[in-house]
Amino acid sequence: MLDAIRVMKDVIATYANNPKWVDVPLGDIKILSNTHVGNAGQDFIKQWCQAQELAWESPESTQSPWDARIENITFEIKTATEDVSGKFQFNHIRHHRDYQALLVLGIAPSEILFNAWRKGDVWEGKSGRLASMDKDSSATFKLTKKPSELLSITEFTDKINEIAKSLA
């Protein structure tokens, strides 16, 4: 008799994570669902802001058009893990939502990177080229970044202050 569990385990084994995610400091993120990767990214940013003594506020509703208010700036936060080609794909960026800046968090096997831009700069292409996620719609976009286009998390406070100054 065929053992369905064994067959499924064999199939799953053919989809194992890329070896670059094995035995590395941040490899555990690859076992999370995409939703939980995003939640973990937001929770990390919250705790990082608190550690950096930056003002943080969560929206009152899960239906809020923004994910966090940092130093009185509303941010859309997108988190991605490094893909097999060494890039980050930040998905579901929406222009119709009411936020002031986009913050992207890139998780590589052994480092945490980020960048942030004013919303207007994103839509003017200053953050890079946005690609539509749906050929029949212009509601949601993807931004692909190389690690060299992101900043070390140690530069976070300076970047947030730079954006705050540009929006003042």
Side-chain angles (χ1 to χ4, degrees):
M1 177 163 164
L2 192 58
D3 179 6
I5 300 293
R6 184 185 53 76
V7 171
M8 181 54 90
K9 286 179 73 66
D10 289 346
V11 169
I12 290 169
T14 68
Y15 292 95
N17 286 327
N18 188 284
K20 75 180 183 179
W21 286 100
V22 177
D23 295 325
V24 295
L26 298 171
D28 288 347
I29 197 161
K30 295 305 279 184
I31 64 171
L32 301 179
S33 69
N34 288 341
T35 297
H36 285 142
V37 168
N39 292 342
Q42 284 186 222
D43 290 347
F44 170 80
I45 293 295
K46 177 181 181 179
Q47 291 184 30
W48 192 252
C49 284
Q50 291 168 341
Q52 301 296 309
E53 299 181 354
L54 294 171
W56 167 277
E57 178 187 340
S58 297
E60 292 181 18
S61 166
T62 58
Q63 300 300 313
S64 174
W66 48 273
D67 295 320
R69 187 183 315 270
I70 305 169
E71 294 294 303
N72 293 316
I73 304 159
T74 55
F75 283 91
E76 173 80 350
I77 300 173
K78 296 297 177 186
T79 304
T81 57
E82 187 177 271
D83 65 20
V84 295
S85 68
K87 296 179 181 169
F88 300 92
Q89 295 186 38
F90 301 101
N91 296 329
H92 301 292
I93 299 169
R94 296 171 178 94
H95 65 83
H96 63 280
R97 298 263 173 101
D98 187 20
Y99 58 90
Q100 295 172 288
L102 172 68
L103 191 155
V104 298
L105 182 67
I107 310 300
S110 300
E111 69 180 322
I112 301 169
L113 303 167
F114 86 102
N115 211 332
W117 303 271
R118 292 179 323 111
K119 182 180 180 183
D121 289 344
V122 173
W123 299 110
E124 291 172 8
K126 294 178 182 173
S127 64
R129 187 177 80 73
L130 293 172
S132 176
M133 292 192 68
D134 182 356
K135 66 180 181 173
D136 297 325
S137 171
S138 62
T140 183
F141 296 86
K142 169 175 65 175
L143 178 65
T144 302
K145 302 303 278 179
K146 298 176 196 171
S148 61
E149 297 172 301
L150 301 176
L151 305 169
S152 167
I153 197 65
T154 59
E155 298 179 52
F156 187 82
T157 300
D158 290 340
K159 186 66 175 184
I160 296 301
N161 289 333
E162 175 188 312
I163 291 175
K165 186 176 180 181
S166 74
L167 290 170

